[in-house]
Amino acid sequence: MYIALNQNDEIIGFAAFDVYRNKKGYFGPMGVVKTSRVKGVGNALLHHCLRDMKEIGYEYAIIGGAGPIEFYEKACRAVVIPSI
């Protein structure tokens, strides 16, 4: 899990992986306070987690219940997998 702090050491964001129902390969949850959005905090948190997942040996990551989808599409070229 990663935690982002501002210059006053206040938590402004977090991101984790492998915490959803003890399932491997799931990214999330992730959150950034509204006042710190669109400043690169979420992007940095996402990419730190994805880098760690790659280093562990994951070939892909699943972002379950993602929102906003546009953020993930832009930040890491995520694609929506249609339900069967």
Side-chain angles (χ1 to χ4, degrees):
M1 173 180 240
Y2 282 92
I3 297 173
L5 305 174
N6 65 12
Q7 56 273 27
N8 298 322
D9 288 333
E10 300 166 325
I11 296 173
I12 58 169
F14 71 95
F17 66 93
D18 285 356
V19 298
Y20 175 72
R21 296 185 181 183
N22 292 322
K23 292 188 177 187
K24 301 290 184 186
Y26 275 83
F27 168 80
M30 180 175 117
V32 176
V33 298
K34 288 183 181 182
T35 56
S36 294
R37 292 181 186 167
V38 194
K39 295 181 179 179
V41 175
N43 191 52
L45 290 165
L46 170 65
H47 283 279
H48 278 292
C49 282
L50 293 177
R51 182 198 64 223
D52 283 357
M53 293 175 82
K54 183 177 181 178
E55 288 178 4
I56 290 169
Y58 293 136
E59 296 291 327
Y60 59 88
I62 298 169
I63 307 170
I69 293 170
E70 297 81 14
F71 165 75
Y72 294 102
E73 289 174 332
K74 183 178 178 182
C76 63
R77 296 180 305 196
V79 295
V80 175
I81 301 171
S83 299
I84 297 176

